[in-house]
Amino acid sequence: MFRIGDVEIQNRVVLAPMAGVCNSAFRLTVKEFGAGLVCAEMVSDKGIVYNNEKTLNMLYIDEREKPLSLQIFGGEKETLVKAAKFVDKNTNADIIDINMGCPVPKITNCDAGAKWLLDPNKIYDVVAAIVDAVEKPVTVKMRIGWDDQHIYAVENAQAVERAGGKAVAVHGRTRVQMYEGKANWDIIKQVKEAVNIPVIGNGDVKTPQDAKRMLEETGVDGVMIGRAALGNPWMIYRTVRYLETGELIPEPTPREKIDVCLLHLDRLIALKGEYIAVKEMRKHAAWYLKGIRGAAKIRNAINECETRDELAALLLQVAEEAESRAANAEAV
């Protein structure tokens, strides 16, 4: 357990904010698997300020997801402050997070995301202004640096703390690395040693054992899990259990995977309507099916699905075939 401002986080496992993934349907599913904190996908400050309907819909939070951190991004102090004030007053988020880690060019070209990492003074200035304008705790998610020549993780985290930020999450890669190469946990450790606010480590946590190793090697307060949870909320549950008891729970059966995939699908339909939800769910279905024998042959058919019934029939077919194989293997 640790605290971010006055928000109590029940365990040390945090769902990362992943663009195009972390909507309410996915977050609630992961929350039910035991995540101490879930983070919403990044939302544009200008989209909020200019009342863009699609953007405002992204601010929806189911009470069952809480505690929840809602992330905003932007490249200008004025609009970030306005957006933070809107989130503070008009949403039931518990924490306001500022994205200073997104490496995608269309974000960094607007001076947003990882572009902030080049100037600790600018980070101090914007975080201080946001902290001053809102009541909810303010945090920052960042990378260790822009490239190998510009690694200011310690200075940037100290700037966040000095400005009144209540926690910092650090992805152990530079902007130039994107999602390639190895995450540098040594720099995450340096950040933890340099500040007194909670530090959440992120990068290369693919198994419950990785999570334990990150906690032990870096001393961070929490571990953030991103891509390893795609189609696999069991990664969250297995990690929480492993950290608390040392017990490694078995991987889910194909039937368990399909059942949760269908629950996720129905939640997404309730959130966005069948047409959009089924299209979005295709990528999630591929993630849920990963590792299930015989699933590869229906991938193309999944990408053609336009209705809930079509997608559900394919998924249930995979589950039944897997169960039949397992029964035959036992009989031999």
Side-chain angles (χ1 to χ4, degrees), residues 33-65:
F33 276 84
L37 176 68
V38 294
C39 301
E41 60 186 317
M42 63 180 187
V43 181
S44 158
D45 62 346
K46 286 187 166 64
I48 294 171
V49 169
Y50 298 128
N51 290 313
N52 177 278
E53 187 182 356
K54 190 178 173 188
T55 303
L56 296 181
N57 287 340
M58 292 171 74
L59 302 179
Y60 171 75
I61 298 159
D62 186 309
E63 276 294 315
R64 294 171 292 174
E65 299 172 49

Side-chain angles (χ1 to χ4, degrees), residues 169-188:
V170 185
H171 182 156
R173 289 181 173 85
T174 62
R175 184 265 165 179
V176 166
Q177 277 181 278
M178 301 289 282
Y179 299 97
E180 304 298 322
K182 194 164 181 269
N184 188 326
W185 291 7
D186 290 337
I187 292 174
I188 297 175

